[in-house]
mmCIF file of all heavy atoms in Angstrom:
data_model
loop_
_atom_site.group_PDB
_atom_site.id
_atom_site.type_symbol
_atom_site.label_atom_id
_atom_site.label_comp_id
_atom_site.label_asym_id
_atom_site.label_seq_id
_atom_site.Cartn_x
_atom_site.Cartn_y
_atom_site.Cartn_z
ATOM 1 N N GLY A 19 -3.677 11.395 -0.495
ATOM 2 C CA GLY A 19 -2.978 10.657 0.518
ATOM 3 C C GLY A 19 -2.892 9.201 0.164
ATOM 4 O O GLY A 19 -1.808 8.524 0.297
ATOM 5 N N ALA A 20 -3.928 8.691 -0.489
ATOM 6 C CA ALA A 20 -3.903 7.120 -0.960
ATOM 7 C C ALA A 20 -2.910 7.020 -2.018
ATOM 8 O O ALA A 20 -2.182 5.946 -1.969
ATOM 9 C CB ALA A 20 -5.232 6.757 -1.384
ATOM 10 N N ALA A 21 -2.755 7.918 -2.853
ATOM 11 C CA ALA A 21 -1.940 7.734 -3.980
ATOM 12 C C ALA A 21 -0.383 7.820 -3.485
ATOM 13 O O ALA A 21 0.479 7.090 -4.019
ATOM 14 C CB ALA A 21 -1.946 8.936 -4.964
ATOM 15 N N ARG A 22 -0.115 8.598 -2.470
ATOM 16 C CA ARG A 22 1.248 8.517 -1.822
ATOM 17 C C ARG A 22 1.402 7.309 -1.079
ATOM 18 O O ARG A 22 2.492 6.796 -1.096
ATOM 19 C CB ARG A 22 1.284 9.785 -0.822
ATOM 20 C CG ARG A 22 1.346 11.165 -1.621
ATOM 21 C CD ARG A 22 1.655 12.209 -0.598
ATOM 22 N NE ARG A 22 1.747 13.547 -1.336
ATOM 23 C CZ ARG A 22 2.544 14.455 -1.089
ATOM 24 N NH1 ARG A 22 3.335 14.346 0.020
ATOM 25 N NH2 ARG A 22 2.516 15.732 -1.638
ATOM 26 N N TYR A 23 0.431 6.811 -0.530
ATOM 27 C CA TYR A 23 0.541 5.499 0.248
ATOM 28 C C TYR A 23 0.723 4.377 -0.781
ATOM 29 O O TYR A 23 1.659 3.529 -0.464
ATOM 30 C CB TYR A 23 -0.790 5.251 1.083
ATOM 31 C CG TYR A 23 -0.827 3.952 1.711
ATOM 32 C CD1 TYR A 23 0.071 3.619 2.714
ATOM 33 C CD2 TYR A 23 -1.799 2.911 1.234
ATOM 34 C CE1 TYR A 23 0.070 2.321 3.352
ATOM 35 C CE2 TYR A 23 -1.776 1.807 1.930
ATOM 36 C CZ TYR A 23 -1.024 1.345 2.906
ATOM 37 O OH TYR A 23 -0.994 0.169 3.571
ATOM 38 N N ILE A 24 0.138 4.334 -1.863
ATOM 39 C CA ILE A 24 0.384 3.331 -2.932
ATOM 40 C C ILE A 24 1.830 3.432 -3.326
ATOM 41 O O ILE A 24 2.538 2.508 -3.645
ATOM 42 C CB ILE A 24 -0.586 3.358 -3.959
ATOM 43 C CG1 ILE A 24 -1.996 3.204 -3.532
ATOM 44 C CG2 ILE A 24 -0.211 2.428 -5.143
ATOM 45 C CD1 ILE A 24 -2.197 1.778 -2.758
ATOM 46 N N ASN A 25 2.330 4.748 -3.595
ATOM 47 C CA ASN A 25 3.685 4.869 -4.014
ATOM 48 C C ASN A 25 4.625 4.204 -3.037
ATOM 49 O O ASN A 25 5.586 3.532 -3.422
ATOM 50 C CB ASN A 25 3.951 6.285 -4.079
ATOM 51 C CG ASN A 25 5.297 6.728 -4.713
ATOM 52 O OD1 ASN A 25 6.436 6.325 -4.235
ATOM 53 N ND2 ASN A 25 5.220 7.234 -5.960
ATOM 54 N N TYR A 26 4.399 4.273 -1.685
ATOM 55 C CA TYR A 26 5.176 3.786 -0.769
ATOM 56 C C TYR A 26 5.031 2.280 -0.695
ATOM 57 O O TYR A 26 6.058 1.504 -0.600
ATOM 58 C CB TYR A 26 4.664 4.250 0.713
ATOM 59 C CG TYR A 26 5.178 3.434 1.804
ATOM 60 C CD1 TYR A 26 6.499 3.653 2.291
ATOM 61 C CD2 TYR A 26 4.288 2.499 2.378
ATOM 62 C CE1 TYR A 26 6.959 2.741 3.313
ATOM 63 C CE2 TYR A 26 4.870 1.726 3.514
ATOM 64 C CZ TYR A 26 6.198 1.790 3.871
ATOM 65 O OH TYR A 26 6.558 1.064 4.922
ATOM 66 N N VAL A 27 3.866 1.673 -0.944
ATOM 67 C CA VAL A 27 3.690 0.203 -0.937
ATOM 68 C C VAL A 27 4.396 -0.368 -2.168
ATOM 69 O O VAL A 27 5.161 -1.350 -1.981
ATOM 70 C CB VAL A 27 2.119 -0.001 -0.997
ATOM 71 C CG1 VAL A 27 2.028 -1.545 -1.507
ATOM 72 C CG2 VAL A 27 1.396 0.307 0.105
ATOM 73 N N LEU A 28 4.399 0.339 -3.314
ATOM 74 C CA LEU A 28 5.091 -0.201 -4.369
ATOM 75 C C LEU A 28 6.630 -0.145 -4.233
ATOM 76 O O LEU A 28 7.372 -1.001 -4.663
ATOM 77 C CB LEU A 28 4.632 0.513 -5.552
ATOM 78 C CG LEU A 28 3.233 0.301 -6.115
ATOM 79 C CD1 LEU A 28 2.871 1.153 -7.340
ATOM 80 C CD2 LEU A 28 2.930 -1.105 -6.343
ATOM 81 N N THR A 29 7.077 0.991 -3.646
ATOM 82 C CA THR A 29 8.495 1.154 -3.345
ATOM 83 C C THR A 29 8.936 -0.033 -2.412
ATOM 84 O O THR A 29 10.053 -0.680 -2.590
ATOM 85 C CB THR A 29 8.800 2.451 -2.733
ATOM 86 O OG1 THR A 29 8.327 3.447 -3.513
ATOM 87 C CG2 THR A 29 10.242 2.635 -2.441
ATOM 88 N N GLU A 30 8.244 -0.392 -1.467
ATOM 89 C CA GLU A 30 8.622 -1.358 -0.405
ATOM 90 C C GLU A 30 8.419 -2.739 -0.889
ATOM 91 O O GLU A 30 9.193 -3.656 -0.640
ATOM 92 C CB GLU A 30 7.784 -1.111 0.945
ATOM 93 C CG GLU A 30 8.127 0.055 1.533
ATOM 94 C CD GLU A 30 9.628 0.099 2.187
ATOM 95 O OE1 GLU A 30 10.028 -0.938 2.660
ATOM 96 O OE2 GLU A 30 10.328 1.177 2.015
ATOM 97 N N TYR A 31 7.281 -3.142 -1.598
ATOM 98 C CA TYR A 31 6.847 -4.472 -1.803
ATOM 99 C C TYR A 31 6.912 -4.907 -3.246
ATOM 100 O O TYR A 31 6.529 -5.954 -3.608
ATOM 101 C CB TYR A 31 5.534 -4.730 -1.202
ATOM 102 C CG TYR A 31 5.460 -4.410 0.269
ATOM 103 C CD1 TYR A 31 4.711 -3.354 0.812
ATOM 104 C CD2 TYR A 31 6.283 -5.090 1.177
ATOM 105 C CE1 TYR A 31 4.653 -3.103 2.101
ATOM 106 C CE2 TYR A 31 6.215 -4.859 2.481
ATOM 107 C CZ TYR A 31 5.446 -3.840 2.977
ATOM 108 O OH TYR A 31 5.452 -3.567 4.295
ATOM 109 N N ALA A 32 7.125 -4.002 -4.286
ATOM 110 C CA ALA A 32 7.081 -4.339 -5.726
ATOM 111 C C ALA A 32 8.402 -4.240 -6.379
ATOM 112 O O ALA A 32 8.500 -4.048 -7.484
ATOM 113 C CB ALA A 32 6.111 -3.325 -6.282
ATOM 114 N N THR A 33 9.516 -4.531 -5.612
ATOM 115 C CA THR A 33 10.782 -4.491 -6.246
ATOM 116 C C THR A 33 11.068 -5.804 -6.997
ATOM 117 O O THR A 33 10.494 -6.834 -6.776
ATOM 118 C CB THR A 33 11.758 -4.543 -5.102
ATOM 119 O OG1 THR A 33 11.664 -5.593 -4.088
ATOM 120 C CG2 THR A 33 11.750 -3.199 -4.340
ATOM 121 N N ASN A 34 11.866 -5.516 -8.139
ATOM 122 C CA ASN A 34 12.153 -6.586 -8.981
ATOM 123 C C ASN A 34 10.890 -7.382 -9.615
ATOM 124 O O ASN A 34 10.843 -8.576 -9.776
ATOM 125 C CB ASN A 34 13.008 -7.712 -8.273
ATOM 126 C CG ASN A 34 14.274 -7.093 -7.771
ATOM 127 O OD1 ASN A 34 14.975 -6.296 -8.577
ATOM 128 N ND2 ASN A 34 14.752 -7.424 -6.678
ATOM 129 N N GLY A 35 9.871 -6.565 -9.746
ATOM 130 C CA GLY A 35 8.649 -7.145 -10.441
ATOM 131 C C GLY A 35 7.716 -7.914 -9.584
ATOM 132 O O GLY A 35 6.813 -8.622 -10.130
ATOM 133 N N ALA A 36 7.861 -7.845 -8.263
ATOM 134 C CA ALA A 36 6.956 -8.563 -7.384
ATOM 135 C C ALA A 36 5.677 -7.906 -7.294
ATOM 136 O O ALA A 36 5.537 -6.630 -7.428
ATOM 137 C CB ALA A 36 7.560 -8.528 -5.915
ATOM 138 N N VAL A 37 4.665 -8.641 -7.164
ATOM 139 C CA VAL A 37 3.204 -8.174 -6.984
ATOM 140 C C VAL A 37 2.881 -8.125 -5.483
ATOM 141 O O VAL A 37 2.933 -9.075 -4.819
ATOM 142 C CB VAL A 37 2.214 -9.095 -7.658
ATOM 143 C CG1 VAL A 37 0.795 -8.605 -7.523
ATOM 144 C CG2 VAL A 37 2.542 -9.258 -9.184
ATOM 145 N N PRO A 38 2.611 -6.907 -4.920
ATOM 146 C CA PRO A 38 2.262 -6.757 -3.498
ATOM 147 C C PRO A 38 1.138 -7.666 -3.152
ATOM 148 O O PRO A 38 0.035 -7.572 -3.953
ATOM 149 C CB PRO A 38 1.956 -5.278 -3.341
ATOM 150 C CG PRO A 38 2.744 -4.568 -4.454
ATOM 151 C CD PRO A 38 2.748 -5.621 -5.606
ATOM 152 N N GLN A 39 1.215 -8.224 -2.016
ATOM 153 C CA GLN A 39 0.024 -9.088 -1.640
ATOM 154 C C GLN A 39 -0.779 -8.234 -0.697
ATOM 155 O O GLN A 39 -0.399 -7.274 -0.071
ATOM 156 C CB GLN A 39 0.729 -10.331 -0.759
ATOM 157 C CG GLN A 39 1.592 -11.175 -1.409
ATOM 158 C CD GLN A 39 0.928 -11.792 -2.813
ATOM 159 O OE1 GLN A 39 -0.220 -12.419 -2.592
ATOM 160 N NE2 GLN A 39 1.528 -11.652 -3.895
ATOM 161 N N THR A 40 -2.028 -8.691 -0.664
ATOM 162 C CA THR A 40 -3.023 -7.800 0.112
ATOM 163 C C THR A 40 -2.721 -7.852 1.650
ATOM 164 O O THR A 40 -3.312 -6.984 2.330
ATOM 165 C CB THR A 40 -4.399 -8.344 -0.097
ATOM 166 O OG1 THR A 40 -4.529 -9.737 0.100
ATOM 167 C CG2 THR A 40 -4.877 -7.982 -1.528
ATOM 168 N N THR A 41 -1.923 -8.832 2.058
ATOM 169 C CA THR A 41 -1.585 -8.791 3.542
ATOM 170 C C THR A 41 -0.502 -7.740 3.890
ATOM 171 O O THR A 41 -0.220 -7.556 5.027
ATOM 172 C CB THR A 41 -1.036 -10.178 3.852
ATOM 173 O OG1 THR A 41 0.135 -10.618 2.990
ATOM 174 C CG2 THR A 41 -2.163 -11.227 3.720
ATOM 175 N N GLN A 42 0.050 -7.150 2.824
ATOM 176 C CA GLN A 42 1.204 -6.261 3.044
ATOM 177 C C GLN A 42 0.701 -4.824 3.025
ATOM 178 O O GLN A 42 1.610 -3.830 3.383
ATOM 179 C CB GLN A 42 2.268 -6.372 1.894
ATOM 180 C CG GLN A 42 2.800 -7.829 1.868
ATOM 181 C CD GLN A 42 3.746 -7.962 0.740
ATOM 182 O OE1 GLN A 42 3.480 -7.627 -0.395
ATOM 183 N NE2 GLN A 42 4.987 -8.563 0.945
ATOM 184 N N PHE A 43 -0.508 -4.466 2.789
ATOM 185 C CA PHE A 43 -0.898 -3.011 2.740
ATOM 186 C C PHE A 43 -2.453 -3.088 3.147
ATOM 187 O O PHE A 43 -3.201 -4.098 2.976
ATOM 188 C CB PHE A 43 -0.635 -2.402 1.578
ATOM 189 C CG PHE A 43 -1.311 -2.927 0.254
ATOM 190 C CD1 PHE A 43 -2.427 -2.509 -0.193
ATOM 191 C CD2 PHE A 43 -0.822 -4.114 -0.393
ATOM 192 C CE1 PHE A 43 -3.282 -3.145 -1.327
ATOM 193 C CE2 PHE A 43 -1.459 -4.782 -1.478
ATOM 194 C CZ PHE A 43 -2.648 -4.191 -1.971
ATOM 195 N N GLN A 44 -2.945 -1.826 3.353
ATOM 196 C CA GLN A 44 -4.396 -1.714 3.778
ATOM 197 C C GLN A 44 -5.003 -1.218 2.453
ATOM 198 O O GLN A 44 -4.468 -0.410 1.639
ATOM 199 C CB GLN A 44 -4.474 -0.565 4.840
ATOM 200 C CG GLN A 44 -3.871 -1.093 6.260
ATOM 201 C CD GLN A 44 -4.100 -0.036 7.283
ATOM 202 O OE1 GLN A 44 -5.113 0.698 7.144
ATOM 203 N NE2 GLN A 44 -3.296 -0.015 8.318
ATOM 204 N N TYR A 45 -6.231 -1.608 2.164
ATOM 205 C CA TYR A 45 -6.918 -1.285 0.986
ATOM 206 C C TYR A 45 -8.453 -1.101 1.149
ATOM 207 O O TYR A 45 -9.111 -0.817 0.131
ATOM 208 C CB TYR A 45 -6.748 -2.474 0.053
ATOM 209 C CG TYR A 45 -7.051 -3.861 0.590
ATOM 210 C CD1 TYR A 45 -8.406 -4.407 0.587
ATOM 211 C CD2 TYR A 45 -6.136 -4.640 1.264
ATOM 212 C CE1 TYR A 45 -8.767 -5.551 1.214
ATOM 213 C CE2 TYR A 45 -6.470 -5.809 1.875
ATOM 214 C CZ TYR A 45 -7.762 -6.254 1.854
ATOM 215 O OH TYR A 45 -8.124 -7.458 2.313
ATOM 216 N N GLN A 46 -9.008 -1.218 2.379
ATOM 217 C CA GLN A 46 -10.460 -1.094 2.530
ATOM 218 C C GLN A 46 -10.790 -0.173 3.687
ATOM 219 O O GLN A 46 -10.376 -0.438 4.846
ATOM 220 C CB GLN A 46 -10.985 -2.529 2.651
ATOM 221 C CG GLN A 46 -12.483 -2.489 2.680
ATOM 222 C CD GLN A 46 -13.029 -3.952 2.775
ATOM 223 O OE1 GLN A 46 -12.253 -4.902 2.711
ATOM 224 N NE2 GLN A 46 -14.416 -4.157 2.806
ATOM 225 N N ALA A 47 -11.642 0.905 3.425
ATOM 226 C CA ALA A 47 -11.946 1.847 4.461
ATOM 227 C C ALA A 47 -10.728 2.406 5.397
ATOM 228 O O ALA A 47 -10.829 2.379 6.594
ATOM 229 C CB ALA A 47 -13.045 1.209 5.409
ATOM 230 N N VAL A 48 -9.803 2.743 4.612
ATOM 231 C CA VAL A 48 -8.478 3.167 5.273
ATOM 232 C C VAL A 48 -8.735 4.654 5.732
ATOM 233 O O VAL A 48 -9.005 5.506 4.827
ATOM 234 C CB VAL A 48 -7.288 3.050 4.406
ATOM 235 C CG1 VAL A 48 -6.025 3.478 5.157
ATOM 236 C CG2 VAL A 48 -7.240 1.679 3.876
ATOM 237 N N PRO A 49 -8.499 5.062 6.974
ATOM 238 C CA PRO A 49 -8.799 6.327 7.415
ATOM 239 C C PRO A 49 -7.579 7.331 7.121
ATOM 240 O O PRO A 49 -6.496 6.999 7.170
ATOM 241 C CB PRO A 49 -8.878 6.205 8.920
ATOM 242 C CG PRO A 49 -7.982 5.094 9.253
ATOM 243 C CD PRO A 49 -8.259 4.137 8.057
ATOM 244 N N VAL A 50 -8.021 8.472 6.539
ATOM 245 C CA VAL A 50 -7.199 9.641 6.324
ATOM 246 C C VAL A 50 -7.821 10.797 6.875
ATOM 247 O O VAL A 50 -8.645 11.448 6.336
ATOM 248 C CB VAL A 50 -6.827 9.787 4.867
ATOM 249 C CG1 VAL A 50 -5.971 11.078 4.722
ATOM 250 C CG2 VAL A 50 -6.279 8.701 4.116
ATOM 251 N N GLY A 51 -7.596 11.202 8.158
ATOM 252 C CA GLY A 51 -8.209 12.186 9.025
ATOM 253 C C GLY A 51 -9.585 11.753 9.260
ATOM 254 O O GLY A 51 -9.710 10.536 9.719
ATOM 255 N N ASP A 52 -10.714 12.496 8.771
ATOM 256 C CA ASP A 52 -12.042 12.090 8.976
ATOM 257 C C ASP A 52 -12.548 11.337 7.754
ATOM 258 O O ASP A 52 -13.754 10.867 7.806
ATOM 259 C CB ASP A 52 -12.940 13.185 9.229
ATOM 260 C CG ASP A 52 -12.503 13.891 10.711
ATOM 261 O OD1 ASP A 52 -12.246 13.087 11.527
ATOM 262 O OD2 ASP A 52 -12.788 15.033 10.860
ATOM 263 N N ALA A 53 -11.782 11.220 6.775
ATOM 264 C CA ALA A 53 -12.243 10.596 5.462
ATOM 265 C C ALA A 53 -11.670 9.174 5.368
ATOM 266 O O ALA A 53 -10.786 8.688 6.276
ATOM 267 C CB ALA A 53 -11.670 11.377 4.304
#
């Protein structure tokens, strides 16, 4: 699920070589169901 989420983040925020900022996505203790 995280891999799919990163795919989405890069699609939305990494266009034209931009580096996604940590304010634009979740990266720490992100819930996926009970995990």
Side-chain angles (χ1 to χ4, degrees):
R22 294 190 176 208
Y23 175 63
I24 296 305
N25 189 293
Y26 163 79
V27 169
L28 295 177
T29 300
E30 292 294 314
Y31 304 114
T33 55
N34 298 320
V37 177
Q39 302 301 306
T40 53
T41 55
Q42 297 173 317
F43 63 97
Q44 298 183 25
Y45 52 88
Q46 187 174 355
V48 183
V50 179
D52 292 331

